[in-house]
Amino acid sequence: MITNTEIEKRGNQFPDKIVDFKRENDKIYFTTNNGVILEITILRDSMLRLRYATEYVFEPDFSYAISSDVSLGYNELSVADQSQEYIITTNKIKVHVNKGDLKVEITDLEGQVLLGDELGFHWEENFEFGGNVVKMSKISHSGESYYGMGDKASHTNLKGKRVNNWVTDTYAYGKDQEPLYKAIPFYIGLKDGISYGVFFDNSFSSYFDFASERRNVTSFWADGGEMNYYFFYGPKMAQVVEAYTDLTGVPELPPLWALGFHQSKWSYYPERQVKKIASTFRKLRIPCDAIYLDIDYMDGFRCFTWNKKHFPDPKRMVEELESDGFKVVTMIDPGIKIDRDYWVYRQAMEHGYFCRRADGPHFKGRVWPGDCKFPDFTNPKVREWWAGLYKEMIADMGVRGVWNDMNEPAIMEVPSKTANLDVRHDFDGHPCSHRKAHNVYGMQMVRATYEGIKKFTFPLRPFVLTRAAYSGTQRYSATWTGDNVATWEHLWLANVQMQRMCISGYSFVGSDIGGFAEQPNGELFARWIQLAIFHPFCRVHSSGDHGDQEPWSFGEEITGIVRKFIELRYQLLPYLYTMFHKYVKSGVPMLQSLVFYDQEDSQTHFRTDEFLFGEQLLVCPIQEPNAQGRRMYFPRGNWYNYWNDEKLEGGVERWVPADIDSIPLYVREGAMIPKYPVQQYVGEKEIGELYLDVYYKEGTEISLVYEDQQDGYDYKKGRYSLRRFRLKGKDNALIIQQFKDGNYITPYDRFILKLHGLPFTVAAVHLDNEPVDPQTVKLNGDNTIEVGKDFTELHLIGT
Ligand code: GLC
């Protein structure tokens, strides 16, 4: 063994004093006496990138996380050379770099410290693998809170916790178990009402310690690679998240059916069983858009094959299901069975597409089919080949979506649960070991899948689902939180996991409703459905060993409750689709934790349960058996009880009733919530009218409604309809103005406005400044008004 006693003794190494300073446009370089270079790039006036090299050498600059669509550019930048420090000033922040030790402190323009180095950058040489363990420590203040970090089964506020990012197959994980299936090394800090973010873009196993080891220190480090992090200044959490999301990207709009209800199980087979499930949905009139085929549809778990005994004619089956509104989603795993008669295996062998160990042999691991080899998805040629493999399934058979599982990659019967660390990867021309590629392996697999599905589904939109993810995977795929358990604690976890993912830039996310392992009772299943209809991705999935988990598996009462809530999801589709549009357009998370919604209210900083679905519906799940209600916190502002229109003032915690057939659901005053009629699947009916639930407010509120053809790409050519409603309520009047953008003609002609909480009786109605006979607008006794969809201003005048 080679040792270097001198360096071993030195342990952590630190930058020395700055001896050189250089500026190249938006990049500034500081070089220290002992060979450290700090490169600061001013990406925007509130977004920086900081990279550190040791021994004067940066690694080649390459990242899978960063989106090619990110919009960058800064307005103004100056550097002052002072006796003790350099000060970089942008339009929003100041960066102080200490000349003696390279420590960095970032402040706002008033001098308020946003983030300051404790030890700052330091490193340890890694004798075993070469390179460094790179470390950063920051001062943590009392009262500072931490959020984000993707998928962590922990309290929304991570203060006092240490987490690890190493994507891992964690069957039946527990609360606070680390690490899980995803690596999203991005956190949001909140101090004195001001928010900032840090994204440590390093794909090695990384750790974040949020004032856990030492109360006044927050640190992050990785087993290799570079200290390379982005800093985002808020001051609003929304600005931090939107900037991170812009940097790492957003998906395209999914087909609207992907936002419907999905039913899955490990596994529905043979064909007869799949059909029976589908027809039961229709018979019981429970809406459903997609049905999933888990691994048993394959021939001996060989990807891209079909078990002909169970599925003699998949194309016909898919067509028949499709004619009844069901889209079929199939699973594809990364492990390719070692079988020289299997065409996928042979092709990969011929082209050298499988990963190899350090000394040359192929990497082998056991998964469902037995011994497998694994394509190196970090090689662009492999991705192209993999994308092409989907042709038959998608273009010829009509499968509408694909589900990539086990892509951590998960390996059975080995303690590490994954590939050996010496496995080699191309890393898009930057060859490396699995230590560096592990966290992006699943991401690159699903990227290849996405490219294939997109190509072969065209002119329709692709739908792809992944289990493993690194920052940026949201560009390609929806995701779910893996193998959870049918317990009340997991219902709590599902709620915090979804919120956390959404404020970590990854909104298209859902849990296995009801729990994957073990079986829920009817009450737990109903409560989970009530929560999960408010999750962007809404799918029941369970392991086959624990009994049935269809909406009708728990008796008539529960079936009725489940139907009622799935119907509500279908009614809310235009609201949900508008949320998705906002996410795609400007990175607005589809779910917002209360702290995100109102960071200035310190009551929100440690709340876990309540969240905003979009920006106008407040949801709080029931998470205990036998509950008839619960206590919940209402954020500041006024809220209407969705179920009975009772109006409540926020800023307080109160008891709210919610028997088994209900969930606490509140609407922000002033909101206009768009709804469609209940459909059994997306596109079942031509939408004859748009319902708008209007919640009176004294004051002004904006609501949006985004619509398009619900699939396809015409919306990118301007064929969309974006309605912006400006509601203004006064003592005895309500004015609604409509501003319209886009040239998609919605199929309906009229709106049905349902007025909630109106403090006056309508005596007169003016449409676009003309008085109209209340009869012609069908002013009904139940506060419902029908008007043509093209009005510019609707004026309701009270007595
Ligand atoms: C993994 C997945 C699960 C799937 C099973 C069989 O456990 O997480 O969703 O059903 O594999 O494919």
Side-chain angles (χ1 to χ4, degrees), residues 266 294-295 331 368 403 405-406 467 480 483 516 541:
W266 175 20
D294 205 320
I295 43 175
M331 174 175 276
W368 310 117
W403 167 26
D405 185 29
M406 306 291 273
R467 194 171 71 174
W480 89 105
D483 296 343
F516 176 75
H541 179 57

Side-chain angles (χ1 to χ4, degrees), residues 520-557:
N521 62 18
E523 185 186 10
L524 175 58
F525 186 75
R527 291 304 197 187
W528 207 313
I529 284 275
Q530 289 168 357
L531 167 65
I533 62 148
F534 298 108
H535 289 161
F537 176 58
C538 182
R539 179 185 74 151
V540 169
H541 179 57
S542 64
S543 121
D545 324 334
H546 305 286
D548 294 337
Q549 215 156 296
E550 286 85 41
W552 51 86
S553 307
F554 306 93
E556 247 174 65
E557 187 197 2

